[in-house]
Amino acid sequence: MSYTNLVTHAVFGTKERFPFLADAAQRAEVHAYLGGIVRTLKGTALNVNGASDHVHMLIVLPATIAIADAMREIKSISSGWIHGKWRGLAKFHWQSKYAAFSVSRSNVPAVAKYIDNQEKHHGRHSFEDELIELLERHGVSYDPRYLWQ
């Protein structure tokens, strides 16, 4: 048996950062559904929230699933569900890329609070600025030419 404590803050946007999730009720349903997908992967969604053009997830994954595999499943399954649930979102797609950051257990409450405050945060900062700030704060190298593909 393996014993792990793999807490991840994952962030991903809608294709071309289009505000597909502008409706607050739809957005809340999508967030709940994303948490359900994490549970089917035998993980735990500690917090899921976001804005009209992106999502933040604070998740705990088992050692048996890589973050890349989890993100592929989460985005693929949720896209299919969104297309089936809302005809008005037929053009909905997630951006192909994502960002993921490891979180220590001691920092989980602060990250959860940050995720809770997304609407307020995005009254002052764009998703673009937020993601670049997160990447830089976590020491992640990126090429701005390919950041939004």
Side-chain angles (χ1 to χ4, degrees), residues 2-9 38 42-44 46 58-67 101-105 108:
S2 299
Y3 300 97
T4 62
N5 182 19
L6 305 173
V7 183
T8 303
H9 176 194
V38 172
K42 306 290 189 251
T44 304
L46 302 174
L58 185 60
I59 57 178
V60 180
L61 295 173
T64 55
I65 186 163
I67 188 67
F101 312 101
S102 59
V103 178
S104 67
R105 272 291 171 179
V108 164

Side-chain angles (χ1 to χ4, degrees), residues 2 25 30-31 49 51 56 59 68 79 89 98 101-102 112 127 131 138:
S2 299
V30 169
H31 296 163
N49 198 13
H56 290 258
I59 57 178
S79 287
L89 294 177
Y98 64 90
F101 312 101
S102 59
F127 173 47
L131 184 58
H138 290 276

Side-chain angles (χ1 to χ4, degrees), residues 101-120:
F101 312 101
S102 59
V103 178
S104 67
R105 272 291 171 179
S106 62
N107 205 28
V108 164
V111 175
K113 183 177 179 183
Y114 175 79
I115 292 171
D116 277 340
N117 290 321
Q118 281 298 293
E119 279 196 60
K120 182 178 175 185

Side-chain angles (χ1 to χ4, degrees), residues 8-25:
T8 303
H9 176 194
V11 184
F12 52 95
T14 59
K15 187 167 183 156
E16 298 178 2
R17 295 166 317 286
F18 188 83
F20 285 109
L21 303 175
D23 180 277

Side-chain angles (χ1 to χ4, degrees), residues 8 18 26 28 44 54 62-63 65 72-73 75-76 81 89 91 98 102 113-114 121-122 132:
T8 303
F18 188 83
Q26 284 179 327
T44 304
H54 72 283
I65 186 163
R72 183 178 55 252
E73 289 290 309
K75 294 195 302 183
S76 173
W81 178 77
L89 294 177
K91 293 185 179 186
Y98 64 90
S102 59
K113 183 177 179 183
Y114 175 79
H121 178 76
H122 288 290
I132 289 169

Side-chain angles (χ1 to χ4, degrees), residues 30-101:
V30 169
H31 296 163
Y33 193 80
L34 292 170
I37 296 169
V38 172
R39 282 190 297 282
T40 67
L41 298 173
K42 306 290 189 251
T44 304
L46 302 174
N47 200 347
V48 180
N49 198 13
S52 63
D53 62 351
H54 72 283
V55 171
H56 290 258
M57 299 181 75
L58 185 60
I59 57 178
V60 180
L61 295 173
T64 55
I65 186 163
I67 188 67
D69 295 333
M71 289 295 99
R72 183 178 55 252
E73 289 290 309
I74 289 166
K75 294 195 302 183
S76 173
I77 293 168
S78 63
S79 287
W81 178 77
I82 289 166
H83 291 147
K85 183 149 177 81
W86 294 294
R87 293 193 188 277
L89 294 177
K91 293 185 179 186
F92 175 89
H93 289 285
W94 293 116
Q95 179 182 9
S96 63
K97 298 187 178 181
Y98 64 90
F101 312 101

